[in-house]
Amino acid sequence: MEIKVEQLGETTDGYDEFTSHLPADECRYAVYDLDFVTDENCQKSKIFFFSWSPDTARTRSKMLYASSKDRFRREMDGIQCEIQATDPSEMSLDIIKSRAH
């Protein structure tokens, strides 16, 4: 098995740009670096790992992604939060921000 980098975002790309690259009917792993300001007015950053497995993806693809996720995730350093989503509503910016705090 091989993991291919399909897209690299720019630091100026926003969260909507990031999510627009996730296909509606195919599974993907994705990483996003969220910059935010805390309630104490401190600039922070958290790196999120996404396991995107939409309901409309093929069953075989969903099984492959689910079975390989943990090993792939362990290989990456610096991940602070993990999100598993099957629908865009499960990874809205509000949800991501609430997980960051």
Side-chain angles (χ1 to χ4, degrees):
M1 283 300 201
E2 177 179 80
I3 304 289
K4 291 189 236 174
V5 176
E6 189 174 274
Q7 173 100 24
L8 288 176
E10 299 295 324
T11 56
T12 57
D13 291 347
Y15 188 72
D16 289 337
E17 177 74 18
F18 165 74
T19 58
S20 73
H21 292 288
L22 296 173
D25 58 354
E26 293 179 30
C27 299
R28 291 291 187 277
Y29 299 129
V31 176
Y32 186 77
D33 188 357
L34 176 69
D35 292 321
F36 61 98
V37 177
T38 66
D39 294 337
E40 294 81 27
N41 206 27
C42 294
Q43 186 69 33
K44 296 271 188 168
S45 177
K46 287 226 175 161
I47 299 174
F48 283 81
F49 174 78
F50 291 86
S51 178
W52 171 245
S53 185
D55 290 332
T56 55
R58 294 185 347 198
T59 302
R60 180 164 165 47
S61 177
K62 290 192 273 190
M63 289 173 46
L64 178 64
Y65 270 76
S67 65
S68 61
K69 178 187 69 92
D70 287 337
R71 179 175 174 147
F72 179 64
R73 166 67 179 82
R74 281 194 306 266
E75 296 294 324
M76 299 188 331
D77 292 328
I79 301 295
Q80 296 158 309
C81 297
E82 185 173 323
I83 302 286
Q84 295 182 37
T86 60
D87 182 82
S89 67
E90 296 174 339
M91 54 188 280
S92 69
L93 185 55
D94 290 338
I95 290 172
I96 303 309
K97 285 181 177 179
S98 73
R99 294 281 307 271
H101 291 94

